């Protein structure tokens, strides 16, 4: 394969990984701190994408749409925490799975009732709609570069927030010693709502950012949710660093498997058979990687402290 | 005298039977995708079907019908359990509605063997058209390969030498590329299968750019096609793209936006086809639902009209299975696509048209350019022992 094409495919893998990171960061925070399995995380992704598409469609500005998607997802997240999730912290994981699965169905139906079953249009901002010549002979969609940039910025921001801010300190302490933190006079319930809202905000950001690439439609959250769980299992549940490494690993593995396996099989099978076998194997690759990582490190690459 | 009396009694009995039949509506079970991804397809099939029922005031072919509608959420196991319930506890006479080929494969063989009639408004897997055909299975839309075959023919005629072809890795995806190659005849430059439900096509688009292809043919139904076209538009690759109607249909064109403008696609139906049944259907659909009908809506409508024609022929007595089957096979209804007949394997013989995506402000829609394949039949009929 030509070197330039390989570079482009690695970039594609990074971009996909960055999207997964935005989803995985929120999910892993919520699990790490509150011990809560939240299947409805994908619904916030959908909410972010829908609000962004609607606001961008109404105002003509993608930026306004993005803000609406972020604010809306965070608010919906905080409201869901206040109304539903609070009742689940002390119950076992099966109850949490059942309740948050119910939330998925609720949000899917609500979106259908409010906005209809048809996918919505969301275009990238005009500034980022074309391709940029990264190297001579390597044009790359500007919008995908922007996604990579946003993802890196969010990763840095989260690092600063968790490691170097007062809120981050409370969050970290709450994850390992929640009774003591509460005894010290910190309103731990408020911290939980904030963290849950932050997770929803990141999911909403992912949804709004991905809208111009994919289709904004009902059920979009479930497609990415499964991959997100793979990411946090690989990375180590509760660890932001693990989420970042796991997401990039999954993104690059998935992309390169789709590209390289057909070439490998094409060497000794006829094209049509090679395409079929390679496609089947490529869609298994990330699960194979997950299994290998778990054999090597049963708690994931970077298990969170105290987990 | 005795003969007369007997005849009179028979007549009376027949009348009573008829009355009983009329009181007991014909039960139709519809299994389709109404929630989650791909629900707009099922909603369109349902709306098209129910429009036909409503136009007849709750009857089809003059016979009262009860339509049971259930959502399969695009899951084969769910479709199968609904089908079992329809068959064993609701005891429906006819089933219809399935959108996806993998779901059809899970349901159709089971129910048709049990004596239920199945009229497919969409999925037409090759396995059910050839060796696996069944006397109780009718497909009123197409065999899966058909629209792709028409595009293979069109691209060959237009002189494209190096097409890059792309479809998801599932039964209808395989049927698609097989159908395309059957009529394109030459070898495509490259052939790629993607994961079903995949939404990010950056890797495939980079391959297209690097491959030296002169055109792209793709079959990616539902949200997959929306995602592909948007990403393809942003990539600046710029090669002409072609595909079957599924990714250029009324239901999703608005979500694709300008990236679809001018794309040539193949379909057995379009809203501008010039026949009375179609004009009436398009107008009535718009009045009732406030949107333009899609390909899927037209198929749902035709499924209902086909069932109506057969119910009328047998006076609602689906239990006379042989008569009902013959009546279905006769396809004595005005299809919104124009000429329509069933081949020996109960799949359509029909024209496949070439269409182009145009803007009719404020919406994007399709305009018919011409006929790609005239009176087209599927390639599997010879394997069917009906």
């Amino acid at each position: 394969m030509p070197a330039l094409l390989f570079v482009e495919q690695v970039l594609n893998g990074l971009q996909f990984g960055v999207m997964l990171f935005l989803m995985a960061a929120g999910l892993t925070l919520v699990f790490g701190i509150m011990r809560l399995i939240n299947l409805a995380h994908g619904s916030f992704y959908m909410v972010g994408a829908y609000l962004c598409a609607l606001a961008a469609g109404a105002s003509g500005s993608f930026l306004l749409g993005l803000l609406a998607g972020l604010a809306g997802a965070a608010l919906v997240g905080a409201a869901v925490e206040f109304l539903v999730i609070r009742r689940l912290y002390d119950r076992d994981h099966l109850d949490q799975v059942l309740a948050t699965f119910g939330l998925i169905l609720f949000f899917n139906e609500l979106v259908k009732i409010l906005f209809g079953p048809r996918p919505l249009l969301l275009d990238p901002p005009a500034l980022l709609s074309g391709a940029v010549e990264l190297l001579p002979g390597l044009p790359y969609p500007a919008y995908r570069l922007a996604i990579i940039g946003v993802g890196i910025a969010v990763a840095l921001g989260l690092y600063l927030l968790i490691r170097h801010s007062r809120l981050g300190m409370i969050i970290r302490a709450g994850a390992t010693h929640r009774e003591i933190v509460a005894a010290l006079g910190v309103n731990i319930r408020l911290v939980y709502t904030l963290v849950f809202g932050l997770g929803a905000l990141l999911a909403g950001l992912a949804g709004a950012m991905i809208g111009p690439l994919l289709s904004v439609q009902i059920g979009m959250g479930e497609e990415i949710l499964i991959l997100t769980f793979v990411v946090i299992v690989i990375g180590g549940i509760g660890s932001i660093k693990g989420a970042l490494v796991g997401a990039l690993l999954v993104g690059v593995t998935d992309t390169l498997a789709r590209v390289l396996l057909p070439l490998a099989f094409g060497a000794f099978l006829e094209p049509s058979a090679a395409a079929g076998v390679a496609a089947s194997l490529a869609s298994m690759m990330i699960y194979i990687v997950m299994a290998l990582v778990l054999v090597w490190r049963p708690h994931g690459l970077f298990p969170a402290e105290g987990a | 005298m005795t003969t007369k009396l007997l005849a009179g009694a028979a007549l009376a009995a027949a009348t009573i039977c008829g009355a009983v039949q009329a009181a007991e509506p014909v039960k139709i079970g519809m299994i389709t995708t109404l929630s989650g991804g791909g629900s707009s397809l099922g909603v369109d099939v349902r709306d098209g079907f129910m429009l036909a029922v409503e136009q007849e005031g709750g009857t089809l072919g003059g016979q009262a019908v009860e339509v049971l509608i259930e959502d399969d959420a695009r899951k084969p196991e769910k479709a199968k359990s609904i089908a079992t319930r329809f068959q064993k506890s609701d005891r429906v006479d006819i089933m219809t509605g399935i959108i996806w080929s993998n779901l059809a494969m899970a349901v159709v063989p089971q129910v048709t063997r049990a004596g239920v009639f199945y009229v497919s408004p969409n999925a037409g897997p090759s396995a059910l058209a050839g060796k696996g055909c069944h006397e109780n299975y009718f497909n009123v839309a197409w065999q899966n390969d058909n629209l792709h075959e028409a595009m293979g023919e069109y691209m060959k005629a237009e002189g494209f030498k190096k097409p890059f072809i792309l479809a998801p890795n599932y039964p209808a995806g395989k049927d698609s590329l097989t159908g395309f190659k059957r009529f394109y005849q030459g070898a495509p430059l490259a052939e790629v299968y993607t994961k079903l439900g995949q939404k990010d096509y950056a890797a495939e688009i980079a391959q297209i750019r690097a491959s030296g292809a002169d055109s792209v043919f793709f079959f990616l139904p539902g949200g997959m096609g929306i995602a592909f076209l948007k990403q393809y538009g942003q990539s600046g690759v710029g090669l002409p793209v072609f595909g079957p109607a599924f990714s250029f249909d009324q239901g999703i064109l608005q979500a694709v936006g300008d990236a679809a403008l001018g794309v040539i696609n193949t379909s057995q139906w379009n809203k501008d086809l010039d026949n009375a049944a179609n004009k009436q259907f398009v107008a009535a659909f718009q009045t009732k639902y406030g949107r333009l009908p899609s390909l899927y809506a037209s198929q749902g409508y035709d499924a209902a009209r086909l069932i109506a024609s057969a119910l009328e022929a047998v006076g609602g007595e689906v239990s006379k299975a042989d008569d009902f089957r013959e009546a279905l096979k006769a396809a004595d209804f005005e299809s919104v696509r124009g000429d329509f007949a069933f081949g020996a394997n109960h799949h359509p013989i029909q024209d496949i048209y070439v269409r182009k995506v145009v803007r009719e402000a404020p919406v994007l829609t399709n305009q018919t350019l011409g006929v790609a394949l005239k009176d087209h039949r599927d390639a599997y009929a010879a394997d069917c022992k009906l």
Side-chain angles (χ1 to χ4, degrees):
Chain A
M1 181 190 295
L4 279 183
L5 181 57
F6 187 76
V7 171
E8 182 174 359
Q9 298 294 18
V10 171
L11 275 177
N12 288 333
L14 284 179
Q15 180 261 312
F16 186 34
V18 157
M19 285 315 300
L20 289 175
F21 168 67
L22 291 181
M23 287 295 288
L27 196 61
T28 206
L29 263 184
V30 166
F31 188 86
I33 292 164
M34 308 162 198
R35 302 279 178 274
L36 177 90
I37 297 183
N38 177 24
L39 295 186
H41 201 63
S43 297
F44 304 135
Y45 170 83
M46 177 174 71
V47 166
Y50 264 84
L51 290 179
C52 181
L54 290 167
S59 68
S61 154
F62 180 79
L63 201 62
L64 281 180
L66 188 62
L67 290 177
L70 286 176
L75 285 177
V76 169
V80 165
E81 200 275 345
F82 187 76
L83 293 173
V84 182
I85 303 293
R86 276 199 177 178
R87 288 150 184 70
L88 298 171
Y89 291 135
D90 297 329
R91 311 188 65 148
D92 66 21
H93 286 329
L94 184 62
D95 290 351
Q96 297 172 350
V97 165
L98 282 174
T100 52
F101 183 71
L103 282 175
I104 294 183
L105 302 179
F106 171 80
F107 276 109
N108 281 347
E109 281 309 300
L110 184 69
V111 164
K112 193 160 102 184
I113 291 166
L114 290 178
F115 311 118
R118 302 182 159 226
L120 297 187
L121 171 72
L122 178 55
D123 276 331
L127 196 62
L128 298 172
S129 62
V132 195
E133 195 98 351
L134 278 185
L135 292 166
L138 176 59
Y140 197 74
Y143 191 73
R144 287 183 188 271
L145 284 179
I147 290 181
I148 297 178
V150 167
I152 292 171
V154 168
L156 270 177
L158 275 179
Y159 170 77
L160 292 176
L161 176 76
I162 303 285
R163 285 284 148 194
H164 297 287
S165 78
R166 187 176 164 75
L167 179 64
M169 196 174 71
I170 296 172
I171 289 176
R172 275 182 292 140
T176 46
H177 302 100
R178 79 179 80 179
E179 289 82 7
I180 296 181
V181 172
L184 287 174
V186 175
N187 183 348
I188 199 82
R189 292 199 135 195
L190 182 65
V191 172
Y192 282 9
T193 308
L194 280 179
V195 170
F196 200 86
L198 176 67
L201 178 114
L202 291 174
L205 173 65
M209 292 292 294
I210 207 74
L213 288 180
L214 311 188
S215 58
V216 179
Q217 65 176 16
I218 296 162
M220 61 187 291
E222 285 87 89
E223 290 161 7
I224 197 164
L225 185 74
I226 297 170
L227 286 179
T228 308
F229 272 106
V230 172
V231 164
I232 65 171
V233 167
I234 289 181
I237 293 169
S239 158
I240 297 275
K241 185 162 74 169
L244 181 61
V245 174
L248 295 181
L249 185 65
V250 167
V252 172
T253 304
D254 187 63
T255 304
L256 290 186
R258 270 154 51 200
V259 176
L260 297 178
L261 285 176
L263 292 178
F265 282 100
F268 56 90
L269 285 176
E270 57 105 8
S272 176
V277 176
S280 305
L281 192 60
S283 55
M284 281 187 259
M285 255 347 256
I286 53 168
Y287 302 101
I288 295 174
V289 167
M290 176 172 80
L292 290 177
V293 167
L294 290 184
V295 167
W296 176 43
R297 290 196 169 197
H299 293 287
L301 294 174
F302 302 96
E305 304 136 42
Chain B
M1 181 66 202
T2 328
T3 342
K4 254 188 186 169
L5 199 68
L6 274 180
L11 196 69
T15 321
I16 292 164
C17 278
V20 169
Q21 283 294 338
E24 188 80 1
V26 174
K27 277 192 177 176
I28 301 174
M30 178 183 285
I31 306 169
T32 195
T33 307
L34 299 173
S35 67
S39 57
S40 69
L41 283 64
V43 167
D44 277 359
V45 163
R46 179 195 66 190
D47 288 353
F49 194 98
M50 293 315 288
L51 175 66
V53 175
E54 184 176 292
Q55 283 181 334
E56 278 200 47
T59 68
L60 282 176
Q63 309 300 321
V65 292
E66 181 186 353
V67 186
L68 310 171
I69 302 174
E70 288 287 342
D71 173 22
D72 59 35
R74 203 174 172 172
K75 297 195 169 66
E77 65 281 2
K78 195 162 179 196
K80 203 173 164 86
S81 80
I82 297 168
T84 307
R85 198 174 79 228
F86 275 168
Q87 178 195 327
K88 302 216 164 123
S89 98
D90 295 316
R91 301 196 170 275
V92 302
D93 306 291
I94 305 163
M95 284 193 213
T96 183
I98 295 178
I99 302 294
W100 311 95
S101 289
N102 48 339
L103 275 66
M105 290 308 297
V107 167
V108 172
Q110 172 196 333
V111 300
T112 50
R113 266 201 306 272
V116 178
F117 286 92
Y118 187 87
V119 176
S120 176
N122 200 61
S126 52
L128 297 178
K131 285 207 180 65
C133 68
H134 193 279
E135 56 178 4
N136 288 345
Y137 171 71
F138 291 81
N139 187 310
V140 74
W142 21 255
Q143 194 279 318
N144 279 352
D145 301 16
N146 293 162
L147 303 193
H148 317 285
E149 290 171 337
M151 192 44 93
E153 174 72 24
Y154 178 82
M155 287 176 70
K156 182 183 66 181
E158 292 291 306
F160 289 100
K161 300 286 181 227
K162 291 187 280 184
F164 188 107
I165 67 176
L166 183 77
N169 193 20
Y170 82 123
K174 297 267 171 67
D175 286 353
S176 157
L177 298 192
T178 310
F180 177 87
K181 289 189 288 183
R182 186 177 296 127
F183 276 71
Y184 181 73
Q185 288 167 341
L189 179 76
E191 178 174 352
V192 168
Y193 287 106
T194 59
K195 194 164 93 182
L196 185 63
Q198 179 181 324
K199 289 292 176 60
D200 192 335
Y201 294 96
E204 288 75 13
I205 291 169
Q207 279 173 282
I208 291 171
R209 187 206 315 277
S211 68
D214 64 358
S215 52
V216 178
F217 167 82
F218 75 97
F219 164 57
L220 296 166
M224 294 183 274
I226 301 176
F228 176 80
L229 276 171
K230 285 162 88 172
Q231 294 164 27
Y232 187 82
Q234 290 165 27
S235 72
V237 172
L239 297 171
V241 284
F242 301 90
F246 313 117
S247 295
F248 306 95
D249 197 59
Q250 208 56 51
I252 55 179
L253 273 181
Q254 316 320 319
V256 175
D258 288 347
L261 212 53
V263 176
I264 306 285
N265 61 96
T266 46
S267 175
Q268 85 286 6
W269 174 85
N270 194 35
K271 75 171 185 7
D272 63 3
L273 290 181
D274 191 14
N275 66 66
N278 195 36
K279 285 185 176 142
Q280 171 279 124
F281 162 68
V282 173
F285 191 93
Q286 270 186 287
T287 310
K288 178 156 169 54
Y289 300 109
R291 62 179 198 265
L292 283 171
S294 70
L295 176 79
Y296 307 104
S298 84
Q299 293 164 189
Y301 187 77
D302 268 1
R305 298 300 309 146
L306 169 70
I307 293 171
S309 72
L311 285 178
E312 188 170 6
V314 299
E317 296 189 53
V318 182
S319 52
K320 290 183 178 167
D322 290 337
D323 294 351
F324 186 64
R325 189 177 304 118
E326 283 310 308
L328 279 174
K329 199 168 173 196
D332 186 17
F333 72 108
E334 297 292 318
S335 168
V336 294
R337 76 199 86 175
D339 291 343
F340 179 95
F342 278 123
N345 60 346
H346 300 175
H347 281 65
I349 301 173
Q350 59 187 347
D351 295 345
I352 313 278
Y353 298 93
V354 178
R355 323 187 293 183
K356 182 177 164 187
V357 180
V358 294
R359 181 180 293 287
E360 281 175 14
V363 296
L364 294 171
T365 186
N366 282 282
Q367 187 183 13
T368 307
L369 297 182
V371 178
L373 293 172
K374 184 92 190 137
D375 289 334
H376 184 54
R377 321 169 165 249
D378 65 274
Y380 302 95
D383 297 333
C384 170
K385 299 277 185 287
L386 283 182

